[in-house]
Amino acid sequence: MEKKLTEDIILRKVLYGDASGLAKYGNNERIAVNQRDSYPYPYTIEYARNWIHYIKQHHDDTRFVIATENEAIGEIGFITQPDVHLYSGEVAYWIGEQYWGQGIATKALKYLINYAFKEKGMKRLYADILEYNKASCRVLQKCGFQLDGVMRSHIFKKNRFYDQLVFSLLSDDVASSIH
């Protein structure tokens, strides 16, 4: 699987050789502050290698890298939820800071939405966003996600409570917007 997002950027499966690019671009406090605490800062090459190994073993068909011809510059994907939530997937993504504001994350997410609904049979995609991550909110909204609600003071990060914004998109929403 490979999808051209721009003239120089593609979306593709994760490769073991992506560790150096993921560590290079992922080792950024401005990215880490928007992620769960399980996303490390500093983001080391060792972490990137372990993460890739985990992805290859468990989520090879739902997690992808955003890459130039030479290196991975970010990642995107969804995790299918367990039990009665089987057809619901949590979306997550990040991209290197020097690529912010170019529409790359939006293009990658649009492709991921199509893939999740048409190829993987998902019914619902959702994302949990920290209240201050306005850029990520804009990406989701550009892709048709709607705000389901606000979970007040639901996230504790950096010794402070934050609201969690929950966005979702249903396969029915996408299908009805095509007609």
Side-chain angles (χ1 to χ4, degrees):
M1 186 287 292
E2 187 172 300
K3 171 69 176 165
K4 192 171 190 171
L5 300 175
T6 71
E7 189 63 35
D8 304 325
I9 308 290
I10 60 170
L11 183 68
R12 63 166 169 75
K13 285 198 171 258
V14 177
L15 304 173
Y16 285 106
D18 289 328
S20 62
L22 292 177
K24 174 182 172 182
Y25 292 98
N27 188 31
N28 183 324
E29 190 172 15
R30 292 184 67 193
I31 293 172
V33 73
N34 293 312
Q35 308 296 322
R36 292 191 173 144
D37 286 346
S38 59
Y39 183 101
Y41 181 76
Y43 191 115
T44 64
I45 189 80
E46 293 80 17
Y47 176 82
R49 287 180 182 136
N50 290 335
W51 178 244
I52 290 169
H53 181 73
Y54 173 78
I55 292 301
K56 299 297 274 177
Q57 297 298 313
H58 302 284
H59 303 287
D60 195 42
D61 63 338
T62 62
R63 300 295 298 229
F64 308 98
V65 293
I66 302 165
T68 66
E69 182 179 309
N70 301 317
E71 62 188 348
I73 61 168
E75 59 179 298
I76 189 169
F78 65 94
I79 303 296
T80 303
Q81 301 304 292
D83 204 347
V84 296
H85 306 286
L86 182 63
Y87 293 96
S88 187
E90 181 180 9
V91 172
Y93 50 87
W94 65 265
I95 190 166
E97 186 174 1
Q98 77 183 65
Y99 295 95
W100 291 358
Q102 299 177 33
I104 297 167
T106 301
K107 289 177 183 173
L109 182 55
K110 284 181 179 179
Y111 178 79
L112 185 74
I113 290 165
N114 185 57
Y115 173 78
F117 290 152
K118 291 186 177 174
E119 302 294 322
K120 301 305 285 180
M122 302 302 292
K123 172 70 174 168
R124 179 177 183 269
L125 295 175
Y126 72 93
D128 297 335
I129 306 296
L130 282 149
E131 66 180 83
Y132 56 76
N133 190 350
K134 303 300 182 196
S136 194
C137 291
R138 282 191 301 274
V139 168
L140 292 166
Q141 290 167 329
K142 286 180 195 175
C143 293
F145 281 72
Q146 297 178 20
L147 180 64
D148 281 344
V150 177
M151 298 174 75
R152 297 177 302 145
S153 294
H154 190 65
I155 295 174
F156 186 74
K157 188 166 181 77
K158 298 203 179 247
N159 295 316
R160 185 172 164 214
F161 287 96
Y162 293 97
D163 291 349
Q164 176 179 314
L165 309 180
V166 181
F167 288 85
S168 72
L169 179 68
L170 303 179
S171 58
D172 295 344
D173 297 338
V174 174
S176 66
S177 70
I178 293 172
H179 297 100

